[in-house]
Amino acid sequence: MPHNIRIAVSHADGSRHFVLSPSLKKVIVTLLITLVVGIIASIAAIYYLNHRSETAEQTLQSMTEQSSELVGQLETLKQKRQQLEQLINNKEEEYAQVIEEKDSELSYLTQRVSSVEEVLGLEKDDSNIPLTERLDVAVINSAVRATMLQLIPSGQPIESYRRSSGYGSRTHPVTGNKKFHLGLDLTADVGTPVYAPADGVVEYKRPSRKKGYGNLLKIDHAFGFMTLYAHLDKFNVNTGQFVKKGDLIGWSGNTGLSTGPHLHYEVRFLSRALNPKRFIAWTPDNFESLFKEEDKVNWAMLVGVIESMVATQVQLASDAVAQPAIITASADSVVGQSTSEANSAE
């Protein structure tokens, strides 16, 4: 049986017959298959391209939104940058003003230290000694003076008086006997307030209105000094009571062996009577005078002891002030370190 394909084409003039050989048949079938495959491939390509187009549009829209958001963030950052720059400028102006004020304060402090050094009679060399060291020296010397004037009898035990009898050899106004007068008789009205000339503790209180010293009071002070008050009218303290310089301890009177109202005032060192006049005249403005006039006390050694005490107190005070600054610096360091670690973690 032949494998040829016969194709008849009819028309008005009759029919025409075409015969396709097997080889041509294969060609036509191949073409048809190729056409079908091409159509299918085209449809798939169109679908794929359409999908890619939609994805690209979505991506473009997302990128456009992100771009708008980034533009907004950039604008915000620009505003923050301007604010920070303005803040920095304000802080620089503020710190410049603070620095200027501190410079003025430092200059004033330097002048004050120089004045204190001049008053204290200290040698100074501004080019070699730091201001802090000069200040420490001035503070110590000033504190030494203040400490000595606080602990050692100084100034007047009563505010106003008329001296009637001085320290030294004299004829007793009552007995007529010549003897050494151990103190000063400060004439004052009965009831004149008597004040402690230094810190101390009341060693002895003896009421006696008719004999000898009359109402008698003794106060022990630091470093072996003692003061005695006789012929008092009344007491304002008791034995064993601690007193501060300037405290009211009693009132002057006319008790005991006395020819008139007055206060008998003595200053002693290790039970040895000293001239009270020199201690009454001893003030911050006349500080060196006592050391020159009163030679029964080893002032150099005493000043050395007090200087050591004051230096220790100044050092402790400096350490107490410096300690909070060290703690604050350490805390700032820890906070800074924690912040850096947190930023690294992000």
Side-chain angles (χ1 to χ4, degrees), residues 173-237:
V174 177
T175 65
N177 298 326
K178 190 171 183 179
K179 62 181 299 186
F180 195 91
H181 191 219
L182 299 176
L184 288 181
D185 287 339
L186 308 177
T187 302
D189 295 335
V190 173
T192 300
V194 179
Y195 302 100
D199 296 355
V201 59
V202 178
E203 176 195 357
Y204 187 66
K205 169 185 172 182
R206 188 198 67 185
S208 176
R209 306 193 70 86
K210 296 182 178 180
K211 297 180 181 180
Y213 277 164
N215 289 335
L216 176 66
L217 190 68
K218 291 171 63 178
I219 298 179
D220 281 334
H221 305 284
F223 310 112
F225 289 90
M226 182 271 287
T227 52
L228 182 146
Y229 313 82
H231 309 299
L232 294 173
D233 182 58
K234 291 187 295 184
F235 302 100
N236 194 50
V237 291

Side-chain angles (χ1 to χ4, degrees), residues 10 33 51 55 64 102-103 161 167 191 203-205 255 269 271 273 279 290 306-307 309 327 335 341:
S10 298
I33 293 172
H51 177 71
T55 303
T64 301
K102 293 300 181 183
D103 286 341
Y161 62 88
Y167 171 86
E203 176 195 357
Y204 187 66
K205 169 185 172 182
T255 59
F269 176 69
S271 300
F279 289 86
L290 183 63
I306 297 178
E307 282 182 344
M309 291 169 46
I327 294 174
V335 171
E341 292 176 355

Side-chain angles (χ1 to χ4, degrees), residues 154-161 195-197 265 279-280:
S154 63
Q156 301 178 179
I158 55 179
E159 292 182 355
S160 61
Y161 62 88
Y195 302 100
Y265 177 56
F279 289 86
I280 290 176

Side-chain angles (χ1 to χ4, degrees), residues 21-143:
S21 62
S23 58
L24 185 56
K25 176 183 175 182
K26 292 180 180 181
V27 171
I28 292 173
V29 171
T30 302
L31 290 175
L32 290 174
I33 293 172
T34 303
L35 180 61
V36 172
V37 172
I39 292 172
I40 294 173
S42 298
I43 293 172
I46 291 171
Y47 177 79
Y48 174 74
L49 292 175
N50 184 50
H51 177 71
R52 289 292 302 274
S53 176
E54 292 177 354
T55 303
E57 288 180 358
Q58 293 177 354
T59 302
L60 179 61
Q61 183 178 359
S62 176
M63 293 180 67
T64 301
E65 294 176 354
Q66 292 179 0
S67 177
S68 300
E69 183 178 353
L70 290 174
V71 170
Q73 292 179 357
L74 180 61
E75 186 65 25
T76 302
L77 290 175
K78 287 182 179 178
Q79 293 177 358
K80 289 184 177 180
R81 178 183 176 184
Q82 292 176 354
Q83 293 175 356
L84 288 174
E85 289 177 349
Q86 183 64 33
L87 180 61
I88 290 173
N89 291 334
N90 293 339
K91 289 296 182 182
E92 288 179 348
E93 295 177 358
E94 181 180 346
Y95 291 151
Q97 183 178 359
V98 171
I99 291 173
E100 184 177 355
E101 292 176 355
K102 293 300 181 183
D103 286 341
S104 300
E105 292 177 1
L106 182 61
S107 299
Y108 176 75
L109 180 60
T110 302
Q111 294 175 358
R112 293 287 295 170
V113 171
S114 298
S115 300
V116 172
E117 289 173 335
E118 184 177 352
V119 171
L120 297 178
L122 301 175
E123 296 182 358
K124 58 183 183 296
D125 183 356
D126 296 347
S127 61
N128 297 326
I129 303 177
L131 178 60
T132 53
E133 294 184 10
R134 291 173 54 198
L135 186 58
D136 286 343
V137 172
V139 167
I140 289 174
N141 282 273
S142 179

Side-chain angles (χ1 to χ4, degrees), residues 11 16 26 45 50 143 172 200 259 269 286 293 299 310 336:
H11 52 83
R16 292 190 64 178
K26 292 180 180 181
N50 184 50
H172 195 280
T259 59
F269 176 69
N286 193 25
E293 297 174 359
W299 295 111
V310 170

